[in-house]
Amino acid sequence: PGLWGRHPGPAVNQSLSFSLFYMLSVIAMAFVVINMVVGVFVDAYYKALAEQEKLEKADNVHHRKPALKAKDLPNVFEDPPMQSFREHLLTVVMNKKFDMLIAVFICSNVVAMAFQSYKRHAWQTMFDEVSNAFFALVFGAECVLKMAAMRPRRYFDDNFNKFDFFLVMVTFLGYVVESLGDFVDIDPSTVRLLRMLRIVRILRALRLIRAFKGLQVIMRTLVLSGSACGNLVA
C-alpha cells in the first residue's frame, strides 16, 4: 500500500522543491517589475522637473523683458478703485496666505469626512452635522468674498472657482431640500443623492496642487509615466 492510502503513487502538492521554486520565482519577478516601474517613474520625474524649470525660466524672461507694455493690453477685468474696500478685499483673497488658510480648511474637511462609518454612534452623527454646517459656511464665505472682490466675470474665469461654486451650490441646495422636506413631500432618493454629492467635496484637495509646485511636478510625473507603465503591462 502507498503512504497515504491503499494505492501507491506520489502524494499531491507535497513537493517542497517545486513550492520553493514557485515562491522564489514570484518574489524575483515582483522585484523586477517594481524596479522597472520605479525606473520609469524616476525617468518621468526628471523629465517633468526639466519641463518645470523651463517654464520657470521662460516666465522669468517674460517678466524681465515683456513683449507688450501694460498700457498696450486691453482691460479684460475691471480693477477696483484705489484705496477702496474692494481693493483691500482683492488683496486679501489673492494673497498666498489666504490660499494656505483655505488649504487648511480643505484638509480639515477631508479629515472630518473620514469619521463617517456604517452604523454610526450619536456623537458621529452630531459631529457630521456640525462639521458639514461649519465647512459649508467657510467655503460659502470664501465664494462670496472672492466674487465680491473679483466680480463674477473674473471669478468664473478660473476653473477651480467654477468647481468651488458648484460644490457650494450643491451643499446649500441640499440644506434647502432637507428644510423643505418638513413641509413638502420630497422623494427621499433626491435627498440621499444630494447627501452623496457631498463626497465630491474631497476633490477640493486638488486645489492644493496649484499651491505647491512640488505637487505639480509629481502630478506631471504620474501623467508622463502612465503611458510607459501601460507599455510594461502590455
Side-chain angles (χ1 to χ4, degrees):
L3 182 61
W4 303 105
R6 297 181 179 179
H7 303 286
V12 180
N13 297 328
Q14 295 297 319
S15 179
L16 181 61
S17 59
F18 285 168
S19 301
L20 292 175
F21 175 76
Y22 174 77
M23 289 187 293
L24 292 176
S25 299
V26 171
I27 294 174
M29 293 307 298
F31 275 113
V32 170
V33 172
I34 290 175
N35 287 330
M36 293 173 66
V37 173
V38 171
V40 169
F41 187 82
V42 171
D43 182 63
Y45 174 78
Y46 282 113
K47 288 182 180 178
L49 192 62
E51 291 182 2
Q52 184 72 19
E53 292 177 354
K54 288 181 181 179
L55 291 175
E56 291 179 357
K57 289 181 180 179
D59 188 53
N60 292 333
V61 171
H62 175 73
H63 285 298
R64 287 199 304 267
K65 298 178 180 180
L68 296 174
K69 296 182 180 179
K71 64 180 181 180
D72 298 328
L73 298 176
N75 293 324
V76 180
F77 303 113
E78 178 187 357
D79 293 330
M82 297 293 293
Q83 301 299 325
S84 63
F85 174 76
R86 184 178 160 223
E87 183 187 20
H88 295 297
L89 186 60
L90 183 63
T91 304
V92 171
V93 298
M94 297 294 289
N95 197 322
K96 291 272 186 170
K97 294 181 180 179
F98 182 80
D99 290 336
M100 295 301 298
L101 178 63
I102 297 300
V104 171
F105 283 120
I106 291 174
C107 295
S108 302
N109 190 13
V110 173
V111 173
M113 295 179 69
F115 280 89
Q116 298 184 10
S117 63
Y118 180 67
K119 293 183 179 180
R120 297 179 297 176
H121 294 281
W123 71 268
Q124 287 179 302
T125 304
M126 179 62 67
F127 177 78
D128 185 41
E129 294 177 356
V130 173
S131 62
N132 283 333
F134 172 75
F135 289 115
L137 291 176
V138 168
F139 296 124
E142 178 204 5
C143 178
V144 171
L145 290 176
K146 284 189 174 181
M147 197 172 295
M150 299 179 179
R151 293 294 188 260
R153 182 181 178 186
R154 185 173 185 177
Y155 177 81
F156 288 110
D157 186 68
D158 192 338
N159 292 327
F160 280 105
N161 291 338
K162 294 177 183 178
F163 182 67
D164 286 341
F165 182 80
F166 168 75
L167 293 179
V168 169
M169 291 297 102
V170 168
T171 302
F172 283 102
L173 181 61
Y175 283 114
V176 171
V177 171
E178 290 179 0
S179 301
L180 292 178
D182 299 332
F183 306 99
V184 183
D185 292 334
I186 300 176
D187 188 4
S189 60
T190 303
V191 180
R192 287 195 297 267
L193 177 62
L194 291 174
R195 288 177 179 175
M196 288 177 60
L197 287 176
R198 293 177 182 176
I199 302 176
V200 185
R201 291 182 301 178
I202 297 177
L203 296 179
R204 268 203 184 98
L206 295 176
R207 288 179 51 184
L208 301 178
I209 299 175
R210 185 172 58 177
F212 300 98
K213 293 183 178 180
L215 287 178
Q216 295 178 11
V217 175
I218 292 175
M219 291 301 298
R220 191 175 291 110
T221 301
L222 292 175
V223 173
L224 293 175
S225 61
S227 59
C229 291
N231 294 331
L232 293 177
V233 175

